[in-house]
Amino acid sequence: MSESKTIEIDGGVLVAHDGSAESEAATRTGVRFAAALKAPVTVVRAWNISTAPRPGDVAPGYIPSFEEFEASTLAALEEDLAPIRGEHPDVSLRAAVVHGSPAEKLIDASAHADLIVVGSRGHGGFAGLLLGSVSEQVVRHAVCPVLVDKLRHEDSAPSAGQARMEEALASELKLD
């Protein structure tokens, strides 16, 4: 595996996932939109040495390579996506990891995505921020539509009104 420096995407829905509950909610929303649009989903996790999970099969004292950190990050993302894949077997769902700044990598990939879905807050930043710095940067600089998903604390399923709104947005996003 060579180090991924760009997000490979050719249309469809791009979802940012950092392992947080907010990114889990954003992924579920992105998958619902992709199902309505009959579009593929690419779920991406940006990583660096301080955020990547340490590979479990390395001996104490051994410093893992970038490739090993990348493989460990991809394995963690695949584990997070397993339940969603089971719930939506009809949606093409691809996991990807990229080394670098999440906002920068998402903005670069926005030229090749039809929609980006991000959580309102992730693992970084201060707890009091209303919109995470990655989300804010992507909203400001992406060249495709961006949906910021708010985590529903009481229930992960959308209400009837939210479901209707998502259907209308999905219909509007179709580029017929």
Side-chain angles (χ1 to χ4, degrees):
M1 174 184 287
S2 63
E3 179 186 342
S4 297
K5 296 185 185 207
T6 60
I7 300 168
E8 299 295 326
I9 184 169
D10 186 22
V13 178
L14 177 61
V15 180
H17 195 295
D18 66 3
S20 67
E22 288 80 6
S23 67
E24 179 79 12
T27 301
R28 291 181 182 285
T29 296
V31 168
R32 285 195 308 274
F33 270 95
L37 295 168
K38 300 199 181 353
V41 179
T42 300
V43 181
V44 67
R45 181 170 292 171
W47 68 276
N48 60 48
I49 294 299
S50 65
T51 63
R54 183 171 171 80
D57 59 351
V58 297
Y62 173 77
I63 299 174
S65 67
F66 268 51
E67 290 79 13
E68 289 168 312
F69 275 118
E70 183 174 74
S72 180
T73 302
L74 181 58
L77 178 57
E78 288 285 7
E79 184 177 324
D80 289 343
L81 295 179
I84 297 170
R85 283 184 199 279
E87 295 164 11
H88 299 277
D90 55 326
V91 176
S92 171
L93 181 60
R94 183 176 73 87
V97 295
V98 63
H99 181 252
S101 160
E104 177 185 321
K105 299 301 181 176
L106 290 165
I107 292 164
D108 289 347
S110 71
H112 305 287
D114 296 320
L115 172 69
I116 296 177
V117 181
V118 293
S120 59
R121 292 182 12 204
H123 279 306
F126 300 99
L129 291 177
L130 296 177
L131 189 65
S133 62
V134 170
S135 302
E136 181 177 4
Q137 289 176 50
V138 173
V139 165
R140 290 180 184 270
H141 301 290
V143 297
C144 71
V146 177
L147 176 85
V148 179
D149 187 73
K150 297 287 285 182
L151 176 63
R152 296 170 191 91
H153 292 286
E154 68 282 350
D155 190 306
S156 63
S159 69
Q162 290 166 329
R164 284 193 305 277
M165 180 61 71
E166 287 183 5
E167 288 173 15
L169 285 171
S171 175
E172 189 63 29
L173 286 170
K174 289 184 182 174
L175 304 173
D176 295 5

